[in-house]
Amino acid sequence: MIELKDVGVVYSGEGGMADVEALRGVTLTVRQGEFLALLGPSGCGKSTLLGLAAGLRRPTTGDVRVGGARLAGPRPDTIAVVFQDHSLFPWRTVVGNIEAGLEFRGVARAERQTRAMHYLRMVGLEAFARAVPRQLSGGMKQRVAIARALALETPVLLMDEPFGALDEQTRMVLGEEVSQIFARTEKTILLVTHSLAEAVFLADRIAVMSGRPGRIRETIQVEAAHPRTPEFMTSPAFHTLRDHLFRLLHDEMRASVLGHDRGAR
Amino acid sequence: MTRRAVGWHRTGLLLLILLVWEGAARGRWLDPDFVSPPSRVVLALADLANPRILAAARLTATEVLVAFILAAVIGVGGGLLIGHSAFTYRAVRPMVLLLFSMPKMVMLPLFILFFGIGLLSKAVFAFSLGVFPVLLNVITGARMVEPTLIAAATSMGATRTAVFAKVVLPASLPAVVTGLRVGMTQTVLGVLLAELYAANTGLGYYIALYSQTFKPAQLFALFFLVAAIAILVNEVLRALERRASRWREEEVEAVVGP
């Protein structure tokens, strides 16, 4: 469904800064109907990669294809995106926010409203339809953002650390919701995360990235049916996978946090 | 202290000032050629309701309106365009700031030379004062639109025009209204200054006339009238401003001016 072939991204430095190589030689395929998590230390280019898949960014080298066609820009008929910081329009109501995408796509008003309310119910926030974002908690805002992406009814959903700014409990609850939505809607999902538990809990496959310049280090299969429940989180299989990921990423995360130069190794 | 007590003290202070003023003017401690007692100023207010002054007020209002509409259209349109793209922001904003820092007052004789002593020179001069608060506030407003909001809109299929109309404009709206409010005060100031300097009618002209012919009662009456109108317009725009920024999580100060 989404194919990245030998993709590299270089940000040209501005004002005397050196160029930054964010991604190098990344080849990755997200299969149709699959939930793929992209896991890596902060600053490894995960979000850049998601930007490429969203058509919001062009690769410096290599090729990005969606459904076989080369991606030249956003494809709101195929790809919906949930951003890191909910990115709701603060001057619109909750339902107005969900309608926004449909408005841009030229959907008629009446259908916009029914569809918006349908997805608002799916994330359990129909009582807040007329509220404005600043009246909602962080978790509620992110649920609205998910509803907004779902309302576009695209086969592909991209999520850029959607729960990154939330507390542990809220993350868990929303994670379960996403698992249920995934089981119900047969979407292809690409999730960017730095949380090991989140990746194992949600994904069918986990692509582990290395630090800058970002490369895919390993892909790992997670064998468990959706929707997944909290019991899965306490199962031995879950812990085996999580521990494996931890060992894979431990050095990378140290390097990225402490600022060691990986290129010197 | 209660609100009511504050209100009483305020009114009392105002009355005291008026009383001292009245007494000082009547007791001849102040030169009656320069200062009239407030009671006579109030009477002079009725005097102002004559056709010449009303026509002058209409002209002044028209001049303000023409200048303000020009400042609003060019300030908001230009501000959104300049602030929206990093390129135009870096290329054009320094020039705007340079023009803004120039003392416009010295241009007034030039404007009168170019545009005569009628409506046009007043409107152009007032525009040259009023456009900058609008422009600079809107540039900053458009500059501070969250990039992820634009990315979100683009990812949902918004065209360039839709991004402008449905993201950049509403996100900058509080800055737009703030700019318009400050721009309005500057526009009024510009028109009155230009009328004081060279005109044959308009409220500014009459202010100059009354002061030069030693009619302090009429002068003060006109002065209070102009001040009252200016305060009223400012308050209306301030109310609009509060409405426009209701969705904001935090208060944002005006970039230019009070």
Side-chain angles (χ1 to χ4, degrees):
Chain A
M1 193 71 199
I2 306 173
E3 296 161 276
L4 287 90
K5 205 177 273 169
D6 204 21
V7 166
V9 172
V10 178
Y11 293 113
S12 58
E14 267 181 42
M17 302 270 282
D19 288 0
V20 174
E21 190 177 14
L23 294 174
R24 182 190 293 173
V26 171
T27 297
L28 179 72
T29 304
V30 188
R31 298 174 200 134
Q32 183 148 5
E34 171 182 58
F35 197 133
L36 187 118
L38 203 55
L39 184 69
S42 55
C44 75
K46 312 185 287 280
S47 291
T48 302
L49 201 156
L50 187 120
L52 291 173
L56 291 169
R57 208 189 283 288
R58 302 282 172 78
T60 313
T61 54
D63 213 15
V64 181
R65 286 170 184 278
V66 170
R70 177 176 271 170
L71 198 60
R75 288 266 303 275
D77 55 333
T78 316
I79 304 164
V81 189
V82 179
F83 292 89
Q84 207 161 1
D85 63 340
H86 72 73
S87 66
L88 298 177
F89 303 119
W91 54 87
R92 282 178 173 243
T93 59
V94 163
V95 70
N97 261 288
I98 303 178
E99 280 182 47
L102 305 173
E103 216 173 293
F104 294 139
R105 307 233 18 233
V107 177
R109 176 183 286 265
E111 200 201 323
R112 261 182 356 228
Q113 281 170 352
T114 23
R115 242 158 91 176
M117 282 313 289
H118 173 74
Y119 287 98
L120 199 52
R121 267 192 296 277
M122 191 179 275
V123 296
L125 286 176
E126 64 271 31
F128 294 90
R130 300 276 153 219
V132 288
R134 96 189 140 98
Q135 295 170 303
L136 306 183
S137 69
M140 287 157 94
K141 284 182 204 165
Q142 209 48 268
R143 267 145 84 191
V144 176
I146 291 171
R148 181 171 72 179
L150 292 176
L152 287 170
E153 299 184 340
T154 55
V156 179
L157 187 60
L158 308 179
M159 296 202 267
D160 187 4
E161 304 205 22
F163 315 129
L166 306 177
D167 60 84
E168 185 78 32
Q169 278 77 25
T170 314
R171 295 175 74 114
M172 232 150 72
V173 174
L174 287 192
E176 283 172 45
E177 273 186 48
V178 167
S179 177
Q180 277 172 13
I181 290 167
F182 176 67
R184 232 181 319 171
T185 54
E186 302 174 336
K187 282 183 191 291
T188 305
I189 301 186
L190 174 61
L191 169 80
V192 164
T193 182
H194 59 251
S195 158
L196 308 178
E198 203 166 276
V200 178
F201 182 71
L202 288 170
D204 296 319
R205 217 149 51 96
I206 302 169
V208 182
M209 287 183 77
S210 66
R212 185 174 293 157
R215 273 163 298 188
I216 305 288
R217 212 169 137 184
E218 194 174 323
T219 34
I220 293 160
Q221 199 80 27
V222 183
E223 308 284 356
H226 288 276
R228 293 178 186 161
T229 58
E231 283 81 67
F232 174 58
M233 229 182 270
T234 52
S235 69
F238 184 93
H239 285 284
T240 313
L241 277 166
R242 197 190 167 284
D243 293 349
H244 177 63
L245 286 173
F246 179 75
R247 274 191 296 274
L248 261 178
L249 274 171
H250 180 258
D251 295 342
E252 300 282 351
M253 290 193 173
R254 269 187 75 82
S256 107
V257 171
L258 302 175
H260 295 169
D261 191 357
R262 291 200 68 263
R265 269 211 301 207
Chain B
M1 217 192 267
T2 64
R3 271 179 75 143
R4 207 191 188 130
V6 170
W8 276 115
H9 279 78
R10 208 185 279 155
T11 318
L13 187 62
L14 204 64
L15 281 175
L16 186 71
I17 292 171
L18 285 175
L19 263 173
V20 170
W21 177 5
E22 183 83 30
R26 286 189 181 272
R28 296 276 169 157
W29 296 323
L30 296 169
D31 191 333
D33 279 343
F34 296 147
V35 182
S36 275
S39 56
R40 223 164 292 155
V41 173
V42 173
L43 291 178
L45 266 177
D47 259 14
L48 293 184
N50 71 59
R52 275 185 313 138
I53 301 283
L54 288 180
R58 258 201 303 280
L59 178 70
T60 300
T62 314
E63 287 163 354
V64 168
L65 209 65
V66 170
F68 181 68
I69 289 172
L70 266 176
V73 170
I74 294 181
V76 174
L80 290 179
L81 282 171
I82 295 167
H84 177 51
S85 118
F87 177 74
T88 50
Y89 179 79
R90 286 169 56 187
V92 184
R93 188 168 163 274
M95 290 197 277
V96 175
L97 284 174
L98 199 72
L99 284 174
F100 170 62
S101 321
M102 255 168 48
K104 257 68 70 183
M105 203 56 214
V106 299
M107 306 273 284
L108 183 52
L110 201 66
F111 285 159
I112 289 174
L113 195 65
F114 286 169
F115 304 110
I117 62 162
L119 180 145
L120 199 57
S121 65
K122 312 308 185 270
V124 172
F125 178 67
F127 162 80
S128 79
L129 287 185
V131 74
F132 288 101
V134 187
L135 206 50
L136 292 173
N137 273 292
V138 176
I139 288 174
T140 307
R143 187 85 202 121
M144 297 202 310
V145 177
E146 291 287 336
T148 56
L149 291 185
I150 295 170
T154 315
S155 80
M156 292 187 290
T159 57
R160 277 185 76 88
T161 332
V163 166
F164 239 90
K166 298 197 165 165
V167 183
V168 179
L169 184 61
S172 324
L173 197 61
V176 167
V177 184
T178 303
L180 289 180
R181 179 174 64 78
V182 182
M184 176 54 108
T185 16
Q186 292 292 305
T187 305
V188 173
L189 178 75
V191 165
L192 290 174
L193 274 177
E195 284 181 349
L196 279 171
Y197 183 76
N200 47 25
T201 178
L203 291 179
Y205 165 77
Y206 280 100
I207 289 174
L209 182 73
Y210 289 144
S211 76
Q212 281 151 14
T213 55
F214 301 106
K215 289 182 175 162
Q218 281 84 346
L219 177 62
F220 276 86
L222 199 54
F223 165 70
F224 282 122
L225 189 73
V226 171
I229 295 172
I231 290 170
L232 183 76
V233 171
N234 193 39
E235 285 308 306
V236 168
L237 286 170
R238 205 194 284 277
L240 260 178
E241 199 177 339
R242 274 193 297 271
R243 258 191 80 90
S245 38
R246 250 188 327 208
W247 51 264
R248 288 219 152 167
E249 317 234 351
E250 79 285 358
E251 292 291 320
V252 177
E253 288 291 310
V255 179
V256 180

